[in-house]
Amino acid sequence: MPIQVRIPVQLRTLTNGEEVVSASGKSVLEIIEDIERKYPGVKDRICEADGKVRRFVNIFVNAEDIRFLDNLQTPISDDDEVSIIPAIAGG
Amino acid sequence: MPELLEKYSRQVLFPEIGEKGQARLIQSKVVILGCGALGTVQADALCRAGTGSLRIVDRDFLEESNLQRQTLFSEDDVQKGLPKAVAAENRLRQINSSVRVEGLVADVNYKNIEQFVEGADCILDATDNFETRFLINDVAVKYKIPWIYGASVGSYGLSMTVIPFETPCLRCIFESLPPPGISPTCDTAGVLAPIVNVIASIQVAEAIKILTGNSHCINRKLIFFDVWKSSWKQYEIASARSEGECPACQVGRFEFLEGKEGSTVTTLCGRNSVQINQGRENRLDFEQLAKRLRPLGAVHFNQFLLRFNLDNFEIAVFQDGRGIVRGTKDPNVARSLYAKYIGA
């Protein structure tokens, strides 16, 4: 079943302005790859060339940071929500 | 003291503060770095709350477009062309003469930040760029000064409270600076006053907890708030302290404070220009950047260089993020323009 993924403003030019998109997958990586299929270019903005999450981006499953779960291999269940949270600059 | 307690009676009545908490607040020293939207709201609230001493540091001068959200300033201040730190000091003295207020006009950088925060009981982040925030984090961790991160753009914002060696620090959460040119700024994406007020108010509440001896009540999560979508969320970050390998609070390497990370600024002799070198590998997406800047001024780019013209200035940025700001010899003005329009 697809889950909801919150897209930050920085990436919404790639998701046709959508703030929340649906994606399917059993892990965070599969979710990101599914988003990439629908909205090409998103994965490159989230992950480095070696596949690791960029160091200025945080991904949360529900309220938990995936770095302290199982990173991109963190399993995803039907009711989970994934949020991509980059740092904010303005003040 | 009795008349002071009367002055702050509504706050003293709040049981978690009480007379004891208010007495601590009156003795405390707060440093606010930046005096734009967040900084004016913070300074106003902390001044009214009776903080003992407020030092406010900002590099900018007032512009008319500041008045929509920067609550301490008036049209008269703009007409006089006052620096924000000076206009803020004047206004805060009118609001509460019991508070020692010091407005300093300066660009906060790795060479001077230690002198600005010396003796502070708490630092409030009111800057408009990532680099200064990473610098605040370094100095706060090094000297074990609590500080409160806050940032807002558009209708949303983030905040987290850092008590060094007790909670995660900013670099535990955001390990490195984003490359320039990818993050929306208030000058490219706009900002609503209500989100600034929400984020600044969260920061002030956190500061008051710390300063009144209520550190056990602080927020230990990353808070996200969006006033337009009417949504807010809290993200767990505690594990970042216990399981992370933070260069600042775990390893004790203060790369921003030592000037090893972050940008360098050079005034280009005889050219009325300032060069800003980001000092790290970047690759800017000129198409995206041009899209954001076009509503604000003329933009031209090729595969090597993007030029953006705004009033009397031109900002030229190269693919690697290096920028040349034409129309000024003042590094403060150049840094400010780069942070506002390119984003650093």
Side-chain angles (χ1 to χ4, degrees):
Chain A
M1 205 174 101
I3 63 139
Q4 306 278 290
V5 181
R6 293 172 73 93
I7 303 292
V9 171
Q10 291 90 322
L11 302 186
R12 286 184 207 158
T13 48
L14 299 168
T15 61
N16 307 323
E18 294 296 326
E19 185 196 355
V20 177
V21 302
S22 295
S24 300
K26 293 193 179 94
S27 68
V28 174
L29 181 61
E30 286 183 23
I31 294 288
I32 292 172
E33 284 174 344
D34 193 42
I35 299 172
E36 173 68 19
R37 272 190 289 278
K38 293 172 185 156
Y39 306 105
V42 168
K43 188 179 177 189
D44 184 47
R45 299 285 293 276
I46 300 172
C47 299
E48 301 284 357
D50 64 5
K52 288 184 186 155
V53 177
R54 290 181 182 271
R55 287 156 54 90
F56 52 87
V57 175
N58 284 325
I59 301 176
F60 292 86
V61 174
N62 303 321
E64 301 289 335
D65 190 332
I66 63 163
R67 282 183 301 163
F68 308 109
L69 297 171
D70 209 358
N71 230 313
L72 288 170
Q73 301 310 321
T74 302
I76 296 295
S77 314
D78 283 354
D79 296 330
D80 287 341
E81 182 185 80
V82 173
S83 305
I84 302 163
I85 308 279
I88 298 177
Chain B
M1 188 61 101
E3 69 269 28
L4 283 183
L5 290 178
E6 172 55 29
K7 191 172 188 177
Y8 306 117
S9 61
R10 300 304 185 273
Q11 197 166 270
V12 172
L13 277 172
F14 186 69
E16 283 79 356
I17 293 181
E19 288 188 19
K20 214 170 149 189
Q22 187 65 44
R24 288 179 74 144
L25 190 57
I26 288 169
Q27 296 297 319
S28 63
K29 184 174 174 183
V30 171
V31 174
I32 298 177
L33 296 175
C35 192
L38 291 169
T40 51
V41 176
Q42 294 163 4
D44 181 84
L46 284 170
C47 184
R48 290 175 194 276
T51 307
S53 153
L54 277 178
R55 171 179 281 173
I56 299 151
V57 191
D58 190 279
R59 64 188 174 194
D60 277 340
F61 284 74
L62 273 160
E63 294 166 19
E64 197 179 20
S65 64
N66 300 145
L67 299 181
Q68 161 254 1
R69 64 199 180 284
Q70 300 186 12
T71 54
L72 290 175
F73 308 132
S74 66
E75 289 178 348
D76 189 45
D77 296 326
V78 175
Q79 273 160 15
K80 286 179 183 157
L82 291 179
K84 292 180 179 179
V86 171
E89 181 182 311
N90 294 345
R91 176 74 184 125
L92 292 166
R93 285 182 195 281
Q94 291 173 343
I95 290 170
N96 190 347
S97 59
S98 308
V99 177
R100 288 185 302 280
V101 182
E102 184 184 18
L104 300 175
V105 184
D107 174 52
V108 176
N109 57 53
Y110 75 93
K111 292 178 184 164
N112 60 20
I113 192 166
E114 285 169 299
Q115 81 189 54
F116 292 142
V117 304
E118 193 181 353
D121 297 303
C122 185
I123 304 168
L124 272 82
D125 163 28
T127 62
D128 62 358
N129 64 88
F130 292 117
E131 190 179 328
T132 313
R133 291 186 166 102
F134 277 59
L135 184 60
I136 296 172
N137 189 67
D138 270 6
V139 81
V141 171
K142 184 175 175 184
Y143 294 101
K144 298 186 184 141
I145 305 169
W147 79 280
I148 300 138
Y149 162 67
S152 57
V153 67
S155 63
Y156 61 95
L158 284 176
S159 181
M160 68 178 271
T161 302
V162 178
I163 298 194
F165 306 106
E166 184 184 320
T167 69
C169 77
L170 190 69
R171 285 200 83 183
C172 294
I173 309 301
F174 299 106
E175 296 177 351
S176 70
L177 291 174
I182 68 160
S183 304
T185 71
C186 298
D187 295 83
T188 58
V191 63
L192 298 181
I195 188 59
V196 171
N197 283 269
V198 168
I199 296 297
S201 298
I202 290 170
Q203 291 178 280
V204 169
E206 292 297 297
I208 289 176
K209 292 176 200 172
I210 292 166
L211 299 169
T212 57
N214 287 292
S215 292
H216 58 284
C217 299
I218 59 155
N219 156 50
R220 291 172 193 271
K221 296 177 182 178
L222 179 68
I223 296 180
F224 173 86
F225 213 109
D226 188 329
V227 293
W228 201 257
K229 308 280 179 190
S230 311
S231 68
W232 77 295
K233 263 182 113 73
Q234 288 177 296
Y235 297 101
E236 293 290 344
I237 50 174
S239 315
R241 168 80 192 129
S242 51
E243 296 176 35
E245 294 169 358
C246 173
C249 75
Q250 299 280 7
V251 182
R253 208 170 60 233
F254 303 113
E255 295 158 338
F256 289 85
L257 189 56
E258 289 161 9
K260 290 175 184 158
E261 286 275 351
S263 61
T264 51
V265 174
T266 321
T267 302
L268 303 176
C269 291
R271 290 173 52 190
N272 199 27
S273 303
V274 176
Q275 176 175 277
I276 298 174
N277 201 326
Q278 290 297 322
R280 57 203 150 104
E281 288 275 315
N282 295 296
R283 205 171 154 274
L284 266 60
D285 183 338
F286 283 164
E287 264 182 47
Q288 290 295 328
L289 188 56
K291 205 182 277 182
R292 287 216 304 273
L293 294 173
R294 271 203 187 102
L296 309 168
V299 182
H300 304 280
F301 71 91
N302 58 28
Q303 66 197 100
F304 309 107
L305 183 75
L306 179 145
R307 288 173 191 274
F308 169 54
N309 288 88
L310 180 85
D311 302 329
N312 301 321
F313 301 102
E314 180 193 82
I315 306 174
V317 276
F318 296 84
Q319 274 274 328
D320 63 0
R322 182 167 60 91
I324 295 178
V325 180
R326 293 199 173 87
T328 182
K329 290 176 192 161
D330 184 341
N332 293 353
V333 172
R335 267 188 200 273
S336 176
L337 288 167
Y338 191 98
K340 284 176 178 172
Y341 296 103
I342 308 302

